[in-house]
Amino acid sequence: DMAGGRGGVGVGGGVVGGPGDGGGQPQNGPGGSAEARDRVLQNIREFSFRPRDVKAYLDRYVVEQDEAKKVLAVALCDHYNWARRCLDDANLRAANYTKPNILILGPTGSGKTYLVRTLAKMLGVPFAKADATKFSETGIVGEDAEDVVRSLVDAAGGDAEVAQYGMVYIDEVDKIAGGGRGGGGTGGWSGKQVQSNFLKIMEDTEVPIKNSLQASL
C-alpha cells in the first residue's frame, strides 16, 4: 500500500481510531451546491493551521505514527498556505511553485489512507482514492490514470475549482513498479506507461473533465 508522490514517510503499526478506512471512490466530497463551494473556498482563505495544530488534530484519531504525522502536517501547511495566498493574490498563481506529493509506505491496516482522509476532512476539501492496479495504459482495459483527477471533480460535486484544493490518494503504486525478478509490473497493458501517466498528474498537467469516450457520446 502506497500513496504516490515526492518525498517519503514510513507508517508503522499504530492503532487507528474513529471510523474505518473505507474504500470506494469518490470519497467524502463537500457537495456541489454554491453554499458548499463557498464553504471550501472560505476554509482555504482562513487557513491558519500550524504543523503542530495539524499533528494535534491527527493525534485525536490515529495512535502513534508520529513521524508520518509530522511530515504530513508540514506538507499540508506548506501547500495550503500557498493556496491561501493565491486566493488573496491571483498573480501568485503564475509563480514557480511545486505542490507537495508524498510517498507513504507501511503495512496494510496501518492507517495510511485514514491519515490522508482525516486531513481532507479537517479542511473540508474533497478527497478521492484510487487503486493503481485498476489503471491501464490507455483506459481501454481498466481505467485511465487521468480518471483519478476526474473522480476528484466528482467528489467536489462537479466543481472543478473546488477540486483544485482537494486531495488524491493513490493506493498500491508498488504493484505497477517495473522490473524485478518476476518481470514487468502489473496494472494493465504496460506498467511503465501507467507509471508515466501518473507522473504527468503528479508533476502538473491539464486533464479534460470528460474522458475521450464520454466526449464522443
Side-chain angles (χ1 to χ4, degrees):
D1 293 343
M2 308 170 85
R6 185 179 298 105
V9 54
V11 179
V15 179
V16 177
D21 236 355
Q25 59 173 333
Q27 307 286 341
N28 59 292
S33 68
E35 180 182 351
R37 178 178 183 274
D38 292 342
R39 186 167 59 250
V40 171
L41 296 179
Q42 188 66 22
N43 288 343
I44 303 301
R45 287 191 177 95
E46 296 178 350
F47 183 85
S48 60
F49 287 102
R50 295 170 298 176
R52 69 179 65 177
D53 302 323
V54 176
K55 182 181 180 299
Y57 184 89
L58 291 174
D59 284 340
R60 294 165 53 189
Y61 300 97
V62 182
V63 178
E64 299 180 356
Q65 304 174 4
D66 286 342
E67 190 62 29
K69 293 174 186 174
K70 290 176 183 178
V71 173
L72 289 170
V74 170
L76 179 134
C77 289
D78 175 71
H79 181 69
Y80 283 98
N81 272 316
W82 178 260
R84 173 182 54 79
R85 293 173 60 196
C86 287
L87 283 174
D88 293 337
D89 183 0
N91 293 327
L92 284 176
R93 291 174 178 259
N96 185 22
Y97 173 76
T98 302
K99 60 181 174 58
N101 296 310
I102 303 171
L103 179 67
I104 306 177
L105 302 90
T108 299
S110 57
K112 299 179 298 299
T113 306
Y114 190 79
L115 280 168
V116 182
R117 181 186 285 115
T118 301
L119 291 175
K121 184 177 181 181
M122 180 186 75
L123 294 177
V125 298
F127 169 79
K129 176 184 175 183
D131 186 333
T133 62
K134 295 182 179 179
F135 295 90
S136 68
E137 178 178 353
T138 62
I140 296 176
V141 179
E143 301 177 57
D144 191 299
E146 293 183 349
D147 286 336
V148 177
V149 178
R150 298 185 186 105
S151 68
L152 186 65
V153 176
D154 289 341
D159 192 319
E161 182 177 2
V162 171
Q164 293 182 72
Y165 302 101
M167 301 182 188
V168 171
Y169 181 89
I170 303 174
D171 203 5
E172 307 286 5
V173 296
D174 56 319
K175 301 299 191 300
I176 61 170
R181 294 182 178 180
T186 60
W189 294 357
S190 170
K192 289 186 178 180
Q193 185 59 46
V194 174
Q195 290 179 39
S196 176
N197 290 341
F198 275 129
L199 283 174
K200 290 179 182 177
I201 294 174
M202 289 188 283
E203 295 177 353
D204 297 330
T205 187
E206 292 188 4
V207 176
I209 294 179
K210 290 186 177 181
N211 60 31
S212 56
L213 178 60
Q214 292 172 322
S216 64
L217 296 178

